[in-house]
Amino acid sequence: MPRGNEVSQFDNMFGIKLRFFEKKGAFVQKVKFTKKQYSIDCYLEYGACNDEMCLPPSQAPLVTSGTAPAVDEKAGKAEAATPAENKEETAVTETILTDSVKADADSTVQQAAEGNLQKYWQPVVKEMEAFEEKNTEDSLFYIFLAGLAGGFLALLTPCVWPIIPMTVSFFLKRNKDKKKAVREAVIYGISIVVIYVLLGLVVTMLFGASALNALSTNAVFNIFFCVLLVVFAASFFGAFELTLPSSWSNKIDQKSENTSGMLSIFLMAFTLTLVSFSCTGPIIGFLLVAVSTQGSILAPTVGMLGFAIALAIPFTLFAMFPSLLKAAPKSGGWMNVVKVVLGFIELAFALKFLSVADLAYGWHILDREVFLSLWIVIFGLLGIYLLGWLKFPHDDEGNRTNVPQFFLGMISLAFTVYMVPGLLGAPLKAISAFAPPMNTQDFNLQHAAVEPQYTDYDEGMAAAARQGKPVMVDFTGFGCVNCRKMEAAVWTDSQVADILNNDYVLISLYVDDKTPLPQPITVTENGQQRTLRTVGDKWSYLQRIKVGANTQPFYVLLDNEGQPLNTSRSYDEDIPEFVKFLQTGIENYKK
């Protein structure tokens, strides 16, 4: 429970109302003592930001023990006879955790408090040039395009497409004035946008920025997302329908009939949202799952904006130009084909989320060859379905394969064949962002493959000193999409592979490795104590204090004293530039 000078105000950047402390924050936790001798060991995790940046989550520990003043032998006997309202007063004390949370950008990098750090851990931020992160995968523009694509796919489903002509006809019939009909259709489209954008905002407010970022490697959430997408896929295959209670849509529909003006149009749009949920729900769910794990607080809202715009366009367009309805495809079995195709795609992406949890926790259930085998089966069955050799419950018996289905089936089968060499170690650059890293594959005939010699920083640096070689430190993550892209698109280049394998000692540090440390490590960062509990915590801390960064992939070239040999490099698939980056490091090392 927070106490103190709490500030609550609307933040323009996040677009929501934020509650926070300035300078200092007090948090109160009530503790009920049940034994005379007590021991408390807990911590509070919090974040701190200024106008330009946010620091990584910090922890305020509380470790204390002693004798409870309100619990002794007599008090324990008397507790049973004490009225409930008095128990709170006698057996409950308050523990206050107070910590300064100053967010000073200049103090981002500090040394640990206990002892002197090894020379390898000394900060080198000032010696390195600033870099610009080029992460196009997670940009809001690409998330918007993904939402737009999802909206257009939702249009082609049997829950939405047949509603378009009915809705447009309704607007045209109830208004003799065509301009008024078009205006109402535009309002209808805007209402759809507002409804779905509000849904994105709800997701953002429920989780928040830090929670969304934590979802990316959390095993429970990734497994939940995997199961959720499997359920969505089963729904699209015809096993069952995901529907909202019919009473909801009936009540909204009745209210839209009893009201007039803009409110009635908005309620009509809301009715469409509820009625079409069985088709749009799995698409929306897949979109929200995908963008939520990007860690951006705006991602769900931007994704829903793109989805809603695509969904709203035809209602407005056909109202403005009714003659286009005659040229539009008629409803039919092809719409169920769209649903089944989406079901296969969601099934494939479900494995991606399971893979993230598997990698982060080191279960080795879904290694690269297992993942590829499952994808080969999924897309092979998709090709067979599109060619008409496989049927689902909702498919028409006499439905023949049309020309678009034939070509899509060929593409799916060709993609299946493309993935087969991956079982032997081929890099498969087209799906490198989704498949597990190459080092999880047991059978690998790819001679140019690059694998880290070390996954422990200190061991790797000591080995490099013995061998007289420079070091490339690869700050990476099991759930890092762009890391896999770099490994498949850049590291597999023969020149890059030759340099990394022969001229450098490659150390890969996984910042999301959930393996517990033998003993938690207490460090001081930004003036605050922080406990490192996992291997990933340790490497993430190293990246922050040594190079002043907290993004992956992030590549740093070091000499045997832990000093930089070149500027850092992040995600960029420009192979010649990466070669130049490595060669410059070698030249500086020789100097």
Side-chain angles (χ1 to χ4, degrees):
M1 181 172 61
R3 284 186 182 178
N5 186 23
E6 180 184 316
V7 180
S8 178
Q9 66 184 34
F10 184 83
D11 187 276
N12 292 323
M13 182 176 71
F14 293 115
I16 59 174
K17 194 173 185 179
L18 296 179
R19 297 165 57 234
F20 57 90
F21 289 116
E22 289 185 340
K23 306 298 181 183
K24 291 185 178 181
F27 298 88
V28 178
Q29 175 64 53
K30 289 186 176 181
V31 179
K32 182 176 182 179
F33 296 110
T34 58
K35 296 181 179 180
K36 189 172 183 179
Q37 298 295 325
Y38 70 86
S39 177
I40 299 175
D41 186 355
C42 61
Y43 65 92
L44 169 73
E45 189 170 70
Y46 64 88
C49 300
N50 63 8
D51 294 336
E52 297 179 357
M53 61 177 293
C54 289
L55 300 180
S58 301
Q59 296 172 355
L62 172 66
V63 180
T64 184
S65 60
T67 303
V71 179
D72 55 24
E73 187 175 348
K74 293 182 179 179
K77 294 178 180 178
E79 185 177 358
T82 305
E85 58 270 19
N86 293 332
K87 289 182 181 179
E88 188 80 10
E89 297 175 3
T90 60
V92 178
T93 63
E94 291 185 348
T95 302
I96 301 179
L97 304 179
T98 305
D99 260 271
S100 172
V101 292
K102 183 180 179 183
D104 185 356
D106 295 331
S107 64
T108 304
V109 180
Q110 294 185 6
Q111 295 184 358
E114 295 183 0
N116 296 321
L117 290 174
Q118 299 179 30
K119 60 184 178 181
Y120 301 143
W121 285 66
Q122 293 295 331
V124 292
V125 178
K126 293 181 180 180
E127 289 80 3
M128 298 177 66
E129 296 180 6
F131 75 99
E132 180 181 359
E133 181 184 8
K134 300 177 180 179
N135 191 347
T136 57
E137 175 71 18
D138 299 339
S139 70
L140 295 178
F141 175 70
Y142 281 85
I143 290 173
F144 175 80
L145 290 182
L148 205 66
F152 283 125
L153 286 172
L155 285 173
L156 303 178
T157 59
C159 309
V160 179
W161 189 258
I163 298 177
I164 296 175
M166 296 189 324
T167 306
V168 172
S169 299
F170 171 79
F171 285 126
L172 294 175
K173 287 179 181 178
R174 87 171 193 170
N175 295 292
K176 295 181 180 179
D177 184 0
K178 185 180 177 181
K179 289 184 178 179
K180 187 176 180 182
V182 171
R183 185 168 63 250
E184 289 191 351
V186 171
I187 295 172
Y188 185 78
I190 294 174
S191 299
I192 293 174
V193 174
V194 170
I195 290 168
Y196 282 106
V197 169
L198 287 175
L199 177 61
L201 286 172
V202 167
V203 172
T204 298
M205 288 187 289
L206 284 176
F207 292 100
S210 59
L212 291 176
N213 188 51
L215 294 181
S216 60
T217 56
N218 183 278
V220 175
F221 278 103
N222 274 281
I223 292 173
F224 171 74
F225 290 156
C226 172
V227 173
L228 191 65
L229 292 183
V230 170
V231 171
F232 288 159
S235 172
F236 275 153
F237 291 153
F240 50 83
E241 281 198 359
L242 296 172
T243 57
L244 296 173
S246 57
S247 58
W248 292 11
S249 56
N250 292 336
K251 288 180 181 178
I252 299 296
D253 192 36
Q254 290 174 2
K255 288 185 178 180
S256 67
E257 292 178 355
N258 297 330
T259 56
S260 58
M262 294 180 62
L263 180 59
S264 66
I265 298 173
F266 180 83
L267 291 174
M268 285 178 58
F270 198 41
T271 303
L272 166 72
T273 305
L274 298 178
V275 171
S276 63
F277 179 79
S278 60
C279 291
T280 60
I283 299 175
I284 294 170
F286 172 69
L287 180 62
L288 288 176
V289 165
V291 302
S292 292
T293 55
Q294 304 299 322
S296 170
I297 195 167
L298 294 176
T301 304
V302 172
M304 286 296 96
L305 176 63
F307 180 88
I309 288 176
L311 206 62
I313 284 175
F315 291 97
T316 306
L317 191 63
F318 287 134
M320 296 174 66
F321 307 102
S323 59
L324 292 177
L325 281 171
K326 297 179 181 179
K330 304 298 180 184
S331 301
W334 62 271
M335 291 184 296
N336 189 66
V337 173
V338 173
K339 285 181 61 178
V340 173
V341 170
L342 291 175
F344 276 108
I345 293 173
E346 294 207 341
L347 197 58
F349 274 91
L351 294 175
K352 167 61 180 172
F353 290 100
L354 181 60
S355 172
V356 170
D358 178 67
L359 289 168
Y361 288 85
W363 298 331
H364 299 293
I365 299 172
L366 204 62
D367 288 343
R368 189 173 185 268
E369 60 266 42
V370 178
F371 182 93
L372 290 177
S373 299
L374 291 171
W375 266 41
I376 288 170
V377 172
I378 290 171
F379 285 97
L381 289 174
L382 173 58
I384 291 172
Y385 170 78
L386 289 169
L387 293 177
W389 301 336
L390 178 65
K391 295 289 184 182
F392 283 92
H394 292 170
D395 288 323
D396 298 334
E397 282 296 331
N399 188 32
R400 295 185 177 182
T401 302
N402 55 40
V403 175
Q405 280 183 233
F406 173 75
F407 283 110
L408 286 174
M410 285 184 60
I411 292 171
S412 182
L413 290 175
F415 181 59
T416 302
V417 174
Y418 164 79
M419 288 189 289
V420 171
L423 298 175
L424 305 177
L428 303 181
K429 296 180 181 180
I431 62 168
S432 58
F434 306 101
M438 190 73 73
N439 57 26
T440 65
Q441 184 151 330
D442 298 325
F443 185 66
N444 188 357
L445 297 179
Q446 178 70 21
H447 297 295
V450 176
E451 295 186 8
Q453 293 99 314
Y454 296 92
T455 55
D456 183 278
Y457 177 68
D458 296 308
E459 289 181 7
M461 291 297 294
R466 291 194 300 269
Q467 298 174 29
K469 288 184 178 181
V471 171
M472 188 178 91
V473 180
D474 164 34
F475 290 102
T476 183
F478 293 120
C480 173
V481 171
N482 286 339
C483 300
R484 304 293 85 77
K485 283 186 175 181
M486 287 293 292
E487 291 161 9
V490 179
W491 289 16
T492 53
D493 177 79
S494 58
Q495 190 174 4
V496 173
D498 181 65
I499 295 174
L500 288 177
N501 286 331
N502 299 317
D503 299 327
Y504 279 93
V505 170
L506 176 60
I507 306 173
S508 289
L509 305 178
Y510 290 86
V511 300
D512 54 1
D513 190 337
K514 304 298 183 184
T515 304
L517 291 170
Q519 292 293 333
I521 302 173
T522 301
V523 297
T524 300
E525 186 177 9
N526 306 303
Q528 306 299 316
Q529 278 198 339
R530 177 178 173 83
T531 303
L532 310 178
R533 292 178 168 81
T534 66
V535 172
D537 288 344
K538 182 179 178 180
W539 303 142
S540 179
Y541 171 73
L542 169 66
Q543 184 182 9
R544 296 194 303 273
I545 65 114
K546 185 168 183 67
V547 297
N550 198 19
T551 182
Q552 297 81 41
F554 194 76
Y555 308 112
V556 181
L557 305 181
L558 301 175
D559 63 14
N560 301 139
E561 300 295 322
Q563 295 300 306
L565 297 170
N566 198 355
T567 60
S568 59
R569 193 166 182 83
S570 189
Y571 171 71
D572 187 348
E573 295 186 23
D574 189 330
I575 293 176
E577 285 297 317
F578 199 84
V579 171
K580 183 180 178 181
F581 165 72
L582 295 174
Q583 289 176 338
T584 302
I586 294 173
E587 292 172 3
N588 292 334
Y589 178 77
K590 291 179 179 179
K591 292 177 184 178

